[in-house]
């Protein structure tokens, strides 16, 4: 299969380069920008004490997060300028790249170990987390597969099992890091995409049963996972041991009450709650902004995720099936991470190292979330303008008039 790279870099019109100016899905953009802004504020607050001790500058983490945010917004703009058909053509290369990154991260000397896990590749002062990139690449590849093999996926067992030839080795590489949370999110998004792609209810139910069995085996295979599972049911039984992180998070929720203790006034961020600016930033938010602030944040997440699903639905109605599956997959990645992170923070799920999209401190997660936003905005624009066909040639004349409909 040959690829004409001249077409890849061809300056196609995009939602920000049209004959009528910027043409974006502003509700989706506004929701994500609100989350990014809230994330910057909460990182500034939650990391101030840690940053002061580690670097002598209370704004150190905020500055780094702001740099990642600028890079992420740049990635969002770049992805908006690339036609969805290009992502479809490059799906198989992305899959190879995902495997390469996940292999590299577990190679001693290349991968960087933090807290007993090899999840990062270091580039000077910055770390890249390959699992964040791999999840998106898998969604893009699987969307292409569902389009190419649509009939086979819906009607035969072979079409149903073929994706797992790719997914299971990738899940194995993630578990070698180990990154159990990313594995669950990736496989969950893949399962949802297969279901929406037309897999029969019986085959889907069998997949769910096998997945539950696999998770049970994986939990029992590692003592630390079993300990987390036991602890989260009653964290107060070992308050200063394995249940320490969860009990401190619950204390943060309790202190917040209805309206919170005020922005910047969290006590738990003062070295009581580990990972206060990363995995448990929502607990600090709940303490400072209270139940009202927490529910507003959850409402923002729900809006963004549902909007992403609607973007997939609009693309499907426009018969742009690859774009639709990508939108569904990216939305399910966000939904999975959101549910797991919030579930961990409130004690509904065992403690798991998984960031909260758009809010948590972490360069790779933030940049990838922004890139996914760019993809979704591009998908919505192409489906609305009916120019998201792989065979369609773009020109400025296609955008000379105002659209006759909108959302």
């Amino acid at each position: 299969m040959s690829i004409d790279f001249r077409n890849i870099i061809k300056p196609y019109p995009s939602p920000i380069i049209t004959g009528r100016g910027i043409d974006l899905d502003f509700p989706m953009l506004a929701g994500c920008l609100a989350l990014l802004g809230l994330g910057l504020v909460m990182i500034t607050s939650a990391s101030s004490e840690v940053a002061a001790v580690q670097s002598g500058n209370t704004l150190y983490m905020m500055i780094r997060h702001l740099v990642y945010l600028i890079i992420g917004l740049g990635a969002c703009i770049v992805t908006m300028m690339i036609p969805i058909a290009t992502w479809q053509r490059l799906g198989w290369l992305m899959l190879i790249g995902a495997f390469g990154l996940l292999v590299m991260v577990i190679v001693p000397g290349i991968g960087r170990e933090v807290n007993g896990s090899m999840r990062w590749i270091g580039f000077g002062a910055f770390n890249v987390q390959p699992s964040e990139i791999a999840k998106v690449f898998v969604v893009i590849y699987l969307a292409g597969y569902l389009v190419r093999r649509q009939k086979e996926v819906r009607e035969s067992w072979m079409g149903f099992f073929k994706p797992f030839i790719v997914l299971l080795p990738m899940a194995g590489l993630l578990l070698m890091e180990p990154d159990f949370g990313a594995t669950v999110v990736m496989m969950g998004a893949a399962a949802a995409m297969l279901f929406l792609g037309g897999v029969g209810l019986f085959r889907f139910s069998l997949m769910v049963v096998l997945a539950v069995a696999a998770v049970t085996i994986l939990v029992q295979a590692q003592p630390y996972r079993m300990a987390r599972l036991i602890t989260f049911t009653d964290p107060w039984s070992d308050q200063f041991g394995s249940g320490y992180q969860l009990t401190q998070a619950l204390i943060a929720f309790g202190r917040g009450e209805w309206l919170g203790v005020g922005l910047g006034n969290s006590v738990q961020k003062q070295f009581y709650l580990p990972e206060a600016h990363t995995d448990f930033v929502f607990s600090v938010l709940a303490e400072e902004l209270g139940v009202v602030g927490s529910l507003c944040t959850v409402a923002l997440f729900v809006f963004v995720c549902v909007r992403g699903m609607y973007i997939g639905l609009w693309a499907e109605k426009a018969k742009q099936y690859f774009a639709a599956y990508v939108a569904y997959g990216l939305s399910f990645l966000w939904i999975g991470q959101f549910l797991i992170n919030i579930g961990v923070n409130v004690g509904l799920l065992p403690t798991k190292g998984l960031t909260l999209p758009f809010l948590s401190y972490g360069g790779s997660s933030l940049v990838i979330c922004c890139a996914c936003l760019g993809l979704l905005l591009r998908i919505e624009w192409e489906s609305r303008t009916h120019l998201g066909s792989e065979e369609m040639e773009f020109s400025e004349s296609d955008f000379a008039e105002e659209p006759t409909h909108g959302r």
Side-chain angles (χ1 to χ4, degrees), residues 175 178 180 216-228:
L175 290 172
F180 188 67
T216 302
I217 293 171
L218 289 171
V219 168
Q220 294 178 344
Q222 293 290 339
Y224 79 92
R225 291 185 190 137
M226 198 65 191
R228 285 180 177 179

Side-chain angles (χ1 to χ4, degrees), residues 124-293:
F126 298 95
N127 291 329
V128 175
Q129 192 169 358
S131 61
E132 295 290 339
I133 303 172
K135 288 184 293 187
V136 176
F137 284 3
V138 165
V139 165
I140 292 173
Y141 174 79
L142 187 56
Y145 173 83
L146 290 173
V147 171
R148 293 191 307 271
R149 306 286 184 179
Q150 189 175 62
K151 184 176 180 181
E152 190 178 357
V153 168
R154 293 180 177 182
E155 297 179 1
S156 73
W157 283 93
M158 185 56 67
F160 168 68
F161 280 119
K162 278 182 181 178
F164 292 97
I165 298 175
V166 172
L167 292 172
L168 292 178
M170 189 163 289
L173 289 171
L174 287 171
L175 290 172
M176 289 175 68
E177 296 182 5
D179 195 342
F180 188 67
T183 306
V184 171
V185 170
M186 184 191 74
M187 296 300 286
M193 289 176 69
L194 286 169
F195 181 72
L196 293 175
V199 170
L201 185 59
F202 175 73
R203 290 195 292 272
F204 182 76
S205 300
L206 177 62
M207 178 174 59
V208 171
V209 171
L210 292 175
V212 171
V215 169
T216 302
I217 293 171
L218 289 171
V219 168
Q220 294 178 344
Q222 293 290 339
Y224 79 92
R225 291 185 190 137
M226 198 65 191
R228 285 180 177 179
L229 182 64
I230 295 172
T231 300
F232 101 98
T233 58
D234 185 14
W236 303 101
S237 62
D238 191 10
Q239 181 180 351
F240 299 103
S242 57
Y244 178 77
Q245 200 166 23
L246 179 53
T247 55
Q248 295 303 314
L250 294 176
I251 290 172
F253 277 93
R255 292 192 75 252
E257 298 184 349
W258 285 102
L259 298 177
V261 296
L263 191 63
N265 294 328
S266 168
V267 172
Q268 293 305 105
K269 70 180 181 182
Q270 299 177 14
F271 302 100
Y272 292 103
L273 177 62
E275 309 296 338
H277 59 295
T278 55
D279 301 342
F280 283 84
V281 68
F282 189 76
S283 297
V284 177
L285 184 149
E287 183 182 2
E288 295 188 350
L289 304 183
V291 172
V292 174

Side-chain angles (χ1 to χ4, degrees), residues 15 23-29 80 84 307-308 310-315 318 320 323-324 327 372-388 405-407:
D23 185 17
L24 294 171
D25 179 13
F26 284 102
M28 182 67 165
L29 180 63
M80 275 194 287
I84 298 302
R307 188 76 178 181
Y310 267 102
I311 288 174
L313 179 62
W314 295 329
Q320 298 169 12
C372 292
L373 170 61
L375 267 172
L376 288 170
L377 292 174
R378 176 82 195 196
I379 290 169
E380 189 276 336
W381 177 75
E382 288 195 5
S383 65
R384 176 160 44 85
T385 56
H386 300 285
L387 291 167
H405 65 286
R407 298 187 181 116

